[in-house]
């Protein structure tokens, strides 16, 4: 980020850590604290590319950018999570939040009915994802992140169990099934 008033830059690594800490601080559900910390930590991983840095410099100096003024970064952020914890409910939950962190979007494409996550995964080559993932791993305390992932997986299982219990209760005001309630956590 860049603050015009004093021409001060904020490194992406600092921004990600501060967002993670704030997300955890403001999270009211203890079972989501590690999940929101990890999501906040990864939300801008896609800014760690040469293309994004060039875009950033042009934007600060008021220059136009070739793709209409926007450079995607949330896709790579979500794909970094997929590299860390592939094919898990936790990965999917975090990816959806990261993909959507600059605005709401349906999880299914209105154009062709394909899941957004599937479309996102097709956007970059495996080599591009691995490059950003390698950069991300080099800049972090891997043991701390690994510990957070382990706790987040355990917490998500507990939360899913609680949600399953809630969804299965016999009440007049039942709004949906387990997946509906789990989706409310995103």
């Amino acid at each position: 980020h860049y603050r015009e008033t004093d021409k001060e830059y904020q490194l992406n690594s600092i921004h990600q850590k501060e967002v993670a800490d704030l997300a955890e601080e403001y999270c009211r559900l203890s079972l989501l604290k590690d999940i929101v910390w990890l999501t906040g930590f990864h939300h801008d991983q896609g800014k760690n590319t040469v293309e994004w840095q060039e875009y950033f410099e042009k934007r600060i100096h008021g220059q136009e950018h070739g793709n209409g003024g926007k450079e995607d970064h949330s896709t790579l952020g979500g794909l970094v999570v997929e590299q860390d914890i592939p094919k898990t409910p936790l990965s999917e939950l975090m990816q959806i939040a990261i993909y959507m962190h600059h605005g709401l979007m349906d999880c299914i494409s209105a154009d062709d009915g394909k899941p957004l996550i599937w479309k996102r995964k097709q956007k970059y080559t495996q080599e591009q994802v691995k490059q950003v993932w390698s950069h991300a791993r080099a800049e972090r305390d891997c043991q701390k992140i690994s510990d957070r992932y382990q706790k987040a997986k355990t917490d998500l299982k507990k939360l899913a169990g609680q949600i399953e219990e809630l969804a299965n209760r016999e009440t007049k005001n039942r709004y949906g099934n387990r997946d509906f309630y789990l989706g409310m956590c995103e």
Side-chain angles (χ1 to χ4, degrees), residues 65-151:
H65 192 263
N67 67 356
K70 293 184 180 181
E71 184 70 36
D72 175 33
H73 65 278
S74 60
T75 296
L76 281 171
L79 294 174
V80 165
V81 170
E82 180 68 16
Q83 290 291 308
D84 279 347
I85 50 170
K87 297 178 178 60
T88 64
L90 176 61
S91 174
E92 186 173 331
L93 184 73
M94 290 174 58
Q95 285 179 70
I96 289 169
I98 291 169
Y99 295 154
M100 307 306 169
H101 82 269
H102 281 295
L104 298 176
M105 193 183 280
D106 288 330
C107 293
I108 302 292
S109 170
D111 295 333
D112 58 15
K114 292 184 178 170
L116 175 64
I117 286 178
W118 181 86
K119 293 181 95 157
R120 292 281 184 141
K121 289 178 182 181
Q122 308 307 309
K123 192 170 184 176
Y124 292 95
T125 67
Q126 195 63 17
E127 185 57 39
Q128 289 171 306
V129 174
K130 286 197 185 232
Q131 180 183 358
V132 172
W133 180 69
S134 294
H135 180 272
R137 289 187 59 81
E139 287 199 348
R140 67 187 190 189
D141 178 341
C142 290
Q143 187 58 53
K144 180 180 179 180
I145 299 296
S146 179
D147 292 347
R148 287 257 187 186
Y149 274 126
Q150 284 308 112
K151 181 146 180 358

